[in-house]
């Protein structure tokens, strides 16, 4: 009996567990929500809420708690939605297997497979568990998600009782990989977490995520705000007591002003800015799993990228074909329908009908194939092929055979047009290293061959020249062909030779084949990847290729993609010889790492991190997952990426397009720049408000602004304008500056001095307005109204100054952010309503001002930014 019984399977399933990877433990929604309150700034706001209640300022407490809850809800919605989005991505798999149970072949859920089950696998199937081959018929598997190798791996029967599922064994097939050609029967030797994919998944559990740069900087900011609040409280208390005020009264006053110093809108504004950036990125096909990953992308200094499917298309493409007389070159990469053929170094356009050797070689490639290519549901044809220039072929089968079919389609050669009847097929075998097809063509019977050059060429005795005549294959011609093979191999092309003979009884040892040509193919770099790499270079972001592929192939692809800087590449074996300290010293000299395993990728990422780099790791295979999780930002491919990789990643590129990552990096830089902008704005405004009150007390002035007026200022200026400032579009040169250092403080670049100086000026302007109106004979109510106008208008003008850290208000694009214009207009209208509408005047204790008083308050408001714009930064 083949396989095991249902009873045995049930017992094994009970003892070994289901054949599934351990799911990432789902986060409890309540835990996600509570996690939003762990931020230092939020804790300060919660403390302020408690103090406000104790002081009887219930309205202040309510407003603060509403802001904190808004911040928590926004963060919760984003993380909770991400959990469900990843669930949807994971559900894209179709886990079934054809398995023998009780001697009968059944289709069962792959999760129910157990060790010793016997499965049948055909081309196109996904391998459901790690298995040892029992028999195989021309069987090939695409193991790129596990090994990084772009070429399908030839599999052959070895020890049928082999239970060692180590990687890269020819008699073992691995869970999650795909059968590309042939068929096999295999016995399950490992399931679930004991498979190669499962072991890599377990590696992820050992990697803990660190705080992002933004989280560290916001924690730093929270501590600074806490210190400022404490200093303000102590200073007001001491100053009042020294003037002879009551101790308790001054303690309460100090606490009240300290609470006013807290930028309560900051956490919500940060969260809103990040959430809106996430939405913008989603429209650009980048799904962000964690809000703070957006900003971390912006300070990325090194991108470690897998080669297959990320930098390259993961679509084999014939780029060159040589006959004995000519060399032909093919345009159109990957599965693109567009493309053509040129000849020689002069790129002379070719009419395939006039090139007999070329058409015979391509015809051989079509006949020696089990793959198919279709367009619009119809098998390929010249009419809707190379001439149409639209879309891509829909393909099935081995990538090498697909590449030959697409190359032939560019010459108008398809299986339907050939009208050849295949009589017998001899699949590619890893020992003979060639494939043969015996077929009937009109009245003649031929056997076509496709295989390794070193196997096919020695068996050839003739060749076809450019006119279609048969010629003897002399030693000189053989050397010429061999030299061409070396040229192609040096370009990291995979070379196949094609030939035929007019007999069925071909003896491989005797030879007698007619040589047709050699085809060179590679997995080409994505066009958009080349562009993305150039943009990253311009932004001083280093791109590094990390691949399991051969060194020569990796170097060739790196050159084509614009990655190789000094011709140096390091292999995994060379990396093993280095200590961590030696690797740290030399790692910046390399942009290509080849023949690496998952543990090597981890070492590379960790080495860059030890050097202070912010590392982003991209990839699609299971072999990328540990390094993706270790990186500061892990980026997975949404279409070709595995479930394990998506689960480990911070960002998922839904279109598998590396160029999308460049847009994400730009958004990250923009978000951080905008956060600095509205932090500058909020803190400057709050310092201005605190100084207005604090200096007024010190100078023995009447209360400059009443509590309700301070509430109005916070309502008018801390809300909409700050949020709108967080929506600023990227500045034109944002991608022309180097990324900021991981050790750079939040207030680097003189930001703190700008905040303090502008805050002092806002406070002094407000006091000046109050004093001027008083000296003009105005009442205290009029002076307070004028001070309110000056304070609000100064802040609304300052919001435009904060649009750029390097340019003055006269050198920025004032109208580039329509939302900021509208927010400012709404705030100004709210201020006007508080002064002009009688009912609101009663609430906010304001009075109408004379034209002279209005002119004075507005004049003082614009004086400081006017002088600063003229004499300040003129970049």
């Amino acid at each position: 009996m083949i396989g095991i019984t249902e009873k045995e399977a049930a017992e094994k399933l009970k003892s070994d567990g289901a054949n599934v990877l351990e799911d990432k433990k789902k986060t409890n929604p309540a835990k996600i929500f509570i996690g939003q309150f762990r931020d230092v700034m939020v804790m300060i706001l919660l403390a302020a809420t408690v103090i406000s209640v104790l002081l009887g300022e219930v309205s202040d407490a309510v407003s603060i708690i509403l802001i904190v809850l808004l911040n928590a809800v926004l963060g919760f919605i984003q993380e909770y939605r991400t959990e469900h989005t990843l669930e949807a991505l994971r559900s894209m798999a179709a886990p079934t297997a054809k398995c023998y149970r009780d001697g009968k072949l059944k289709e069962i859920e792959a999760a129910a497979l157990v060790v010793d089950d016997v499965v049948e696998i055909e081309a196109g199937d996904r391998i459901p568990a790690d298995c040892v081959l029992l028999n195989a018929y021309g069987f090939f598997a695409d193991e790129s998600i596990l090994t990084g190798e772009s070429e399908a791996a030839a599999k052959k029967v070895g020890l049928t009782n082999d239970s060692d599922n180590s990687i890269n064994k020819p008699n073992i097939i691995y869970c999650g990989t795909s059968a590309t050609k042939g068929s096999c029967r295999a016995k399950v030797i490992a399931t679930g977490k004991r498979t190669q994919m499962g072991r890599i998944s377990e590696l992820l559990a050992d990697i803990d995520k660190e705080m992002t740069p933004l989280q560290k900087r916001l924690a730093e900011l929270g501590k600074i705000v806490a210190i400022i609040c404490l200093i303000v409280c102590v200073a007001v208390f001491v100053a009042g007591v020294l003037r002879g005020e009551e101790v308790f009264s001054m303690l309460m006053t100090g606490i009240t002003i300290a609470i006013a110093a807290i930028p309560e809108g900051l956490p919500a504004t940060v969260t809103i800015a990040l959430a809106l950036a996430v939405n913008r990125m989603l429209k650009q096909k980048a799904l962000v799993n964690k809000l703070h990953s957006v900003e971390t992308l912006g300070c990325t200094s090194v991108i470690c990228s897998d080669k297959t499917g990320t930098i390259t298309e993961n679509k084999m493409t014939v780029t060159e074909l040589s006959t004995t007389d000519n060399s032909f070159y093919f345009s159109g990469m990957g599965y693109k329908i567009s493309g053509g053929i040129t000849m020689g170094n002069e790129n002379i356009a070719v009419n395939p009908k006039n090139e007999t050797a070329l058409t015979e070689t391509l015809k051989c490639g079509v006949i020696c194939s089990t793959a198919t290519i279709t367009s619009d549901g119809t098998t390929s044809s010249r009419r809707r092929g190379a001439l149409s220039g639209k879309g891509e072929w829909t393909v099935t089968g081995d990538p090498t055979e697909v590449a030959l079919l697409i190359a032939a389609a560019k010459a108008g050669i398809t299986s339907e047009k050939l009208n050849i009847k295949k009589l017998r097929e001899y699949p590619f075998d890893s020992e003979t290293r060639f494939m043969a097809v015996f077929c009937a063509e009109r009245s003649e019977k031929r056997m076509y061959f496709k295989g390794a050059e070193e196997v096919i060429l020695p068996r050839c005795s003739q060749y076809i020249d450019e006119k279609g005549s048969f010629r003897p294959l002399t030693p000189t011609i053989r050397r010429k062909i061999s030299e061409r093979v070396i040229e192609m191999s040096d370009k990291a092309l995979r070379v196949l030779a094609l030939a035929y003979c007019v007999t069925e009884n071909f003896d491989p040892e005797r030879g007698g084949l007619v040589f047709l040509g050699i085809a060179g193919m590679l997995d080409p770099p994505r066009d958009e990847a080349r562009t993305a790499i150039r943009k990253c270079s311009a932004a001083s972001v280093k791109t590094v290729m990390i691949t399991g592929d051969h060194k020569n192939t990796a170097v060739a692809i790196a050159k084509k993609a614009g990655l190789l800087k000094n011709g140096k590449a390091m292999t995994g074996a060379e990396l093993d010889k280095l200590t961590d300290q030696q690797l740290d010293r030399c790692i910046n000299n390399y942009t290509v790492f080849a023949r690496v395993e998952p543990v090597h990728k981890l070492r590379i990422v960790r080495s860059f991190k030890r050097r202070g780099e912010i590392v982003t790791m991209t990839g699609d295979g299971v072999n990328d997952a540990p390094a993706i999780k270790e990186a500061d930002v892990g980026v997975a491919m949404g279409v070709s990426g595995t479930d394990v990789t998506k689960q480990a990643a911070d960002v998922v590129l839904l279109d598998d397009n590396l160029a999308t990552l460049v847009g994400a990096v730009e958004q990250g830089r923009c978000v951080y720049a905008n956060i600095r902008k509205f932090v500058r704005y909020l803190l400057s405004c709050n310092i201005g408000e605190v100084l207005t009150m604090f200096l007024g007390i010190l100078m023995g002035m009447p209360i400059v602004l009443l509590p309700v007026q301070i509430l109005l200022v916070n309502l008018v200026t801390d809300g909409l304008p700050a949020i709108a400032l967080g929506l600023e579009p990227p500045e034109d040169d944002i991608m022309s500056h180097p990324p900021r250092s991981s050790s750079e403080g939040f207030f680097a670049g003189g930001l703190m001095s700008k905040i303090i100086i502008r805050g002092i000026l806002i406070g002094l302007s407000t006091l000046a307005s109050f004093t001027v109106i008083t000296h003009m004979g105005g009442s205290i109510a009029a002076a307070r109204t004028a001070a309110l106008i000056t304070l609000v208008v100064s802040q609304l003008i300052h919001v435009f100054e904060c649009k750029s850290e390097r340019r003055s208000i006269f050198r920025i694009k004032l109208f580039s952010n329509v939302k900021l214009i509208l927010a400012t207009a709404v705030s100004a209208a709210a201020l006007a309503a508080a002064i002009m509408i009688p009912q609101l005047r009663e609430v906010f204790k304001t009075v109408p001002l004379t034209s002279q008083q209005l002119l004075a308050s507005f004049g003082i408001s614009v004086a400081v930014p006017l002088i600063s714009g003229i004499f300040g930064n003129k970049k």
Side-chain angles (χ1 to χ4, degrees), residues 556-578:
I557 294 297
K559 286 180 179 177
K560 290 178 180 292
L563 265 178
L564 205 64
K565 300 300 180 185
N566 51 16
K568 296 179 74 174
M570 182 184 289
T571 64
E574 292 168 342
L575 194 150
D576 282 333
K577 296 175 183 177
L578 300 176

Side-chain angles (χ1 to χ4, degrees), residues 570-829:
M570 182 184 289
T571 64
E574 292 168 342
L575 194 150
D576 282 333
K577 296 175 183 177
L578 300 176
T579 65
D580 286 348
Q581 292 75 19
Q582 290 171 327
L583 179 61
D584 292 351
R585 285 196 295 269
C586 71
I587 195 166
N588 271 344
N589 297 329
Y590 295 88
T591 52
V592 177
F593 295 86
R595 302 303 285 172
V596 297
E597 297 176 6
V599 67
H600 296 137
K601 295 185 178 187
L602 268 177
R603 281 194 69 194
I604 292 165
V605 169
R606 285 171 175 165
S607 179
F608 277 121
K609 289 179 72 174
R610 283 193 299 271
R611 290 181 59 87
E613 307 286 0
I614 300 295
V615 183
T616 292
M617 174 77 193
T618 74
D620 58 357
V622 175
N623 59 328
D624 300 319
I628 280 177
K629 188 171 182 182
E630 173 67 27
D632 295 291
V633 181
V635 180
M637 301 296 150
V639 178
S640 62
T642 60
D643 295 344
V644 173
T645 312
K646 294 170 191 169
Q647 202 165 301
D650 299 297
V651 179
V652 179
L653 303 182
L654 300 180
D655 59 356
D656 283 17
N657 192 338
L658 186 64
T660 303
L661 185 58
V662 176
V665 170
E666 183 175 3
Q667 283 295 333
R669 290 191 175 191
C670 178
V671 163
Y672 185 70
N674 287 350
I675 289 173
R676 278 174 61 96
K677 290 171 185 177
F678 61 65
V679 165
R680 174 188 173 188
Y681 171 68
L682 287 173
L683 290 186
S684 295
C685 293
N686 281 35
I687 288 173
E689 293 167 24
V690 169
L691 282 177
T692 297
M693 303 299 292
F694 180 50
L695 293 178
I697 292 172
L698 287 182
M699 295 165 65
M701 298 170 66
I703 297 297
V704 177
L705 292 173
L706 298 174
V708 71
Q709 292 171 337
I710 289 290
L711 182 62
L712 175 63
V713 172
N714 287 338
L715 178 69
V716 168
T717 62
D718 283 7
L720 290 178
I723 293 172
L725 194 58
L727 302 177
E728 275 291 299
E731 293 187 56
D732 294 338
D733 58 351
I734 197 166
M735 290 296 284
S736 63
H737 299 289
R740 63 188 180 278
S741 168
S742 59
S743 60
E744 178 183 293
F746 187 84
F747 296 100
L751 183 63
M752 180 55 81
S753 61
K754 291 177 183 176
I755 290 171
I756 293 173
I757 292 171
R758 198 66 181 87
I760 291 171
L761 292 174
I762 289 173
L764 292 178
S765 298
T766 306
L767 290 172
S769 183
F770 185 93
T771 304
V772 167
I773 300 303
T774 303
H775 287 164
M776 290 173 66
S779 66
I780 296 297
R784 284 175 179 155
T785 304
L788 177 65
I789 292 172
T790 299
L791 183 58
V792 172
V793 173
S794 294
Q795 292 182 2
L796 294 182
I797 293 174
H798 183 52
V799 77
F800 289 94
E801 291 181 300
C802 292
K803 283 169 65 74
S804 177
E805 290 186 37
R806 297 183 298 276
R807 296 179 177 88
S808 73
I809 195 169
F810 297 113
R811 296 181 179 275
I812 59 172
K813 296 178 180 178
L814 288 173
F815 304 104
S816 62
N817 184 355
V818 177
K819 294 181 179 67
L820 182 60
I821 302 292
L822 293 175
T824 306
V826 169
S827 296

Side-chain angles (χ1 to χ4, degrees), residues 357-414:
L358 170 65
T359 54
E360 286 295 321
T361 305
L362 292 172
K363 184 171 77 173
C364 178
V366 172
I367 294 169
C368 290
S369 177
T370 58
T372 62
I373 61 172
T374 58
S375 173
D376 300 328
T378 307
T379 306
S380 61
S381 69
R382 177 65 173 174
R383 184 178 65 259
R384 55 170 51 87
L387 292 180
S388 72
K390 296 180 180 179
E392 288 195 349
W393 297 108
T394 300
V395 308
T396 58
D398 179 77
T400 299
E401 294 183 352
V402 167
L404 288 169
L405 290 182
I406 291 175
K410 291 171 184 175
I413 300 170
T414 65

Side-chain angles (χ1 to χ4, degrees), residues 175 186 259 308 355 366 418 424 486 505 578 660 666 708 802 816:
C175 176
I259 292 174
T308 305
E355 301 293 338
V366 172
L418 291 177
R424 193 175 293 107
I486 292 171
N505 301 315
L578 300 176
T660 303
E666 183 175 3
V708 71
C802 292
S816 62

Side-chain angles (χ1 to χ4, degrees), residues 13 52 123 126 140-141 158 239 273 441 485 504 507 543 573 639 644 666 681 731 759 789 833 848:
L13 190 63
S52 295
R126 188 168 160 186
F140 282 73
E441 184 177 1
V485 169
E504 180 182 2
D507 182 355
T543 308
V639 178
V644 173
E666 183 175 3
Y681 171 68
E731 293 187 56
I789 292 172

